[in-house]
């Protein structure tokens, strides 16, 4: 069973759109396996739902890339000045907070950005009815989107499958829970609500924000939902080609915008490398023990027997903050909150690469993703061929 795992990363997700376009241009054929298990965090969750509702037909990736190319930062990401002014007055006057402003959908607009239009574009781009039909007909076996419950700080994995999945319980990790749902817009938006910058989402009496705080690359849900082969698209690119000088580092240490970007980047760091090492160890262990022992260990630690999982990981080949800085200089009238980045002397800020939802940046990432996928074509094909051989 082929699984697609999509990392979170805000506006960096346009790179995934480029990769997905290549995959649906070159691998969406009757003689190739479909992505049966879909998992994604933040923007990866949006893409997972989009893939599930696309039918995975040849050439369907064009529609996804066009969604990214239609974005203009001055329209998509608008500063939420009323909320910021209220917070400023509270700090100056020392007054306690009032009940935050609620929207008709019970959203709390406590965020730097008013993302109403961005959310409308995301929700409107996904064919939710077709997603449900694909799951009902078992053409898509399962889909999962993690979010972070604000009250407890735990990761909650919202998943949909035709039947409950016993292994979707994290017995040895009290910080992860799961809930079987009929996946819809609220679950996807909850998993993509970057804290402070995007407003949290209420589901069943609790508020949620970005799942990347706990599970930015959701490999574990994909494996628990039955995937035996994984294609993992992470959004961590290489370091900048030129390291900042000592003077630039000193200037950066006192720059609140730069420090905020580094702090956010640290929050979004995932455990992918550690998860891959663990998976390699389990695969090696399964080579040395018999089937009965694998069943016993799996039931004890995971609720289902362990099995070998083959994977391929693809990542951007260029530094994404550098591409974001180049794109920002191309935008004729960027919002004032982004113009501040052009004055930072220590190199491209990480934060910009998460929030520059604009055609100038998206175009660069889509092209890069498409070419990175072309370079990885043989690896992708070998993964699918191995799945066919084991079928």
């Amino acid at each position: 069973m082929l699984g697609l795992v999509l990392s979170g990363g805000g506006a960096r997700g346009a790179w995934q759109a480029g990769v997905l376009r290549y995959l649906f241009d070159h691998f969406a054929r009757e003689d190739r396996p479909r992505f049966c298990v879909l998992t994604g965090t933040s923007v990866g969750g949006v893409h997972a739902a989009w893939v599930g509702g696309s039918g995975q037909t040849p050439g369907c990736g064009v529609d996804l890339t066009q969604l990214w190319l239609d974005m203009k930062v001055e329209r998509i990401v608008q500063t939420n000045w009323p909320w910021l002014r209220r917070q400023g007055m509270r700090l100056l006057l020392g007054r306690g907070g009032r009940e935050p402003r609620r929207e008709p959908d019970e959203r709390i607009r406590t965020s730097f950005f008013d993302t109403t239009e961005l959310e409308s574009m995301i929700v409107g781009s996904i064919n939710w009815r077709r997603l449900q039909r694909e799951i009902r007909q078992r053409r898509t076996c399962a889909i999962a989107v993690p979010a972070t419950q604000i009250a407890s700080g735990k990761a909650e994995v919202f998943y949909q499958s035709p039947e409950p999945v016993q292994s979707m319980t994290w017995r040895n990790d009290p910080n992860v829970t799961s809930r079987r749902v009929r996946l819809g817009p609220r679950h996807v938006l909850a998993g993509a609500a970057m804290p402070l910058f995007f407003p949290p989402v209420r589901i069943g009496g609790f508020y949620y924000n970005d799942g990347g705080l706990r599970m930015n690359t959701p490999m574990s849900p994909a494996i628990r939902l039955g995937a035996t082969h994984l294609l993992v698209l992470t959004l961590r690119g290489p370091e900048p080609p030129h390291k900042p000088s000592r003077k630039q580092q000193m200037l950066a240490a006192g720059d609140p915008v730069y420090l905020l970007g580094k702090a956010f980047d640290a929050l979004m760091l995932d455990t992918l490398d550690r998860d891959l090492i663990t998976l390699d160890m389990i695969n090696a262990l399964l080579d040395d023990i018999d089937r009965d022992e694998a069943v016993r260990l799996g039931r004890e630690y995971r609720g289902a027997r362990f099995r070998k999982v083959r994977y391929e990981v693809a990542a951007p080949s260029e530094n994404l903050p550098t591409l974001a800085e180049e794109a920002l200089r191309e935008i004729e009238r960027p919002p004032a909150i982004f113009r501040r980045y052009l004055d930072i002397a220590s190199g491209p800020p990480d934060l910009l690469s998460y929030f520059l939802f604009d055609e100038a940046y998206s175009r660069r990432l889509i092209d890069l993703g498409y070419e990175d996928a072309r370079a990885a074509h043989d690896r992708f094909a070998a993964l699918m061929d191995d799945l066919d051989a084991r079928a």
Side-chain angles (χ1 to χ4, degrees):
M1 192 181 299
L2 183 60
L4 178 65
V5 180
L6 301 163
S7 293
R12 295 182 176 194
W15 178 86
Q16 289 178 348
V19 176
L20 291 171
R21 179 172 177 175
Y22 183 89
L23 289 171
F24 292 128
D25 282 351
H26 295 84
F27 291 98
R29 306 194 309 266
E30 289 298 327
D31 60 336
R32 286 292 187 185
R34 293 165 49 90
F35 292 112
C36 195
V37 176
L38 305 169
T39 65
T41 298
S42 192
V43 68
V46 175
H47 286 159
W50 186 91
V51 170
S54 70
Q56 303 187 39
T57 56
C60 67
V62 174
D63 295 334
L64 180 60
T65 54
Q66 189 58 52
L67 172 68
W68 283 94
L69 294 174
D70 287 341
M71 294 183 181
K72 292 292 182 183
V73 69
E74 64 270 17
R75 186 181 76 248
I76 296 297
V77 181
Q78 301 181 28
T79 307
N80 187 359
W81 291 116
W83 180 75
L84 292 174
R85 291 191 187 100
R86 287 197 300 273
Q87 300 312 303
M89 291 301 294
R90 285 178 57 193
L91 289 173
L92 288 173
L93 302 178
R95 294 177 179 173
R98 295 183 299 174
E99 179 74 10
R101 177 167 66 92
R102 294 178 185 271
E103 299 294 327
D105 63 354
E106 294 190 309
R107 300 295 299 277
I108 294 183
R109 296 293 166 179
T110 52
S111 57
F112 286 127
F113 299 136
D114 181 351
T115 56
T116 304
E117 186 162 348
L118 177 61
E119 294 167 9
S120 297
M121 289 183 68
I122 291 172
V123 173
S125 69
I126 297 171
N127 190 333
W128 300 99
R129 289 185 178 180
R130 186 166 188 176
L131 171 62
Q132 294 302 321
R133 186 168 67 249
E134 294 280 309
I135 295 174
R136 193 166 54 248
Q137 296 175 352
R138 300 176 186 267
R139 290 170 57 80
T140 294
C141 303
I143 182 170
V145 175
T148 302
Q149 189 186 106
I150 295 175
S152 66
K154 296 181 179 181
E156 185 161 349
V157 181
F158 299 109
Y159 79 96
Q160 183 174 354
S161 61
E163 294 92 18
V165 179
Q166 182 181 2
S167 58
M168 284 295 285
T169 55
W170 279 256
R171 296 182 178 181
N172 298 310
D173 189 348
N175 294 314
V176 182
T177 61
S178 67
R179 191 194 312 183
R180 184 167 171 252
V181 298
R182 178 184 171 93
L183 198 82
R186 297 180 72 81
H187 304 103
V188 171
L189 291 176
M194 296 185 190
L196 288 181
F197 293 93
F198 291 175
V201 179
R202 184 178 180 181
I203 299 174
F206 293 96
Y207 283 96
Y208 295 85
N209 58 20
D210 200 298
L213 300 179
R214 283 286 185 183
M215 192 182 291
N216 200 43
T217 305
M219 283 179 51
S220 179
I223 295 172
R224 291 169 184 270
L225 288 169
T228 59
H229 293 67
L230 297 178
L231 176 57
V232 182
L233 302 185
T234 180
L235 294 173
R236 292 187 305 173
E239 294 296 314
H242 305 291
K243 292 188 175 296
S245 66
R246 185 173 181 180
K247 180 178 180 180
Q248 287 175 324
Q249 293 182 52
M250 291 177 62
L251 289 171
D255 192 309
V257 176
Y258 182 86
L259 292 176
L260 181 61
K262 287 299 182 184
F264 191 83
D265 204 33
L267 282 174
M268 297 301 291
L269 286 177
D270 62 13
T271 59
L272 176 60
D273 292 337
R274 186 179 68 192
D275 291 344
L276 293 176
I277 291 173
T278 301
L279 183 56
D280 288 338
M281 292 175 60
I282 292 174
N283 285 339
L285 176 65
L286 292 176
D287 286 333
D288 295 332
I289 63 176
D290 59 30
R291 184 178 182 279
D292 291 340
E293 183 66 7
V295 171
R296 186 190 69 79
L297 289 173
R299 286 177 176 170
E300 180 177 351
Y301 290 100
R302 203 180 65 182
R305 82 177 186 89
F306 285 122
R307 61 181 178 278
K308 294 188 68 172
V309 177
R310 177 169 175 175
Y311 63 86
E312 288 292 344
V313 179
S317 60
E318 297 184 24
N319 179 259
L320 302 189
T322 299
L323 295 180
E325 184 183 38
E326 293 174 1
L328 182 62
R329 296 183 184 279
E330 182 181 305
I331 299 172
E332 185 175 349
R333 294 182 179 178
I337 197 169
F338 286 141
R339 286 199 297 271
R340 173 69 181 83
Y341 289 111
L342 297 177
D343 300 327
I344 296 177
S346 57
D350 294 350
L351 196 64
L352 181 65
S353 66
Y354 289 105
F355 296 105
L356 191 59
F357 291 93
D358 191 89
E359 177 272 339
Y361 183 40
S362 298
R363 175 169 28 86
R364 286 171 165 81
L365 296 193
I366 290 169
D367 291 345
L368 177 65
Y370 199 89
E371 291 306 315
D372 287 344
R374 188 195 305 277
H377 180 101
D378 291 345
R379 292 195 292 121
F380 296 166
L383 180 71
M384 297 181 186
D385 289 343
D386 187 73
L387 177 60
D388 286 335
R390 297 192 191 186

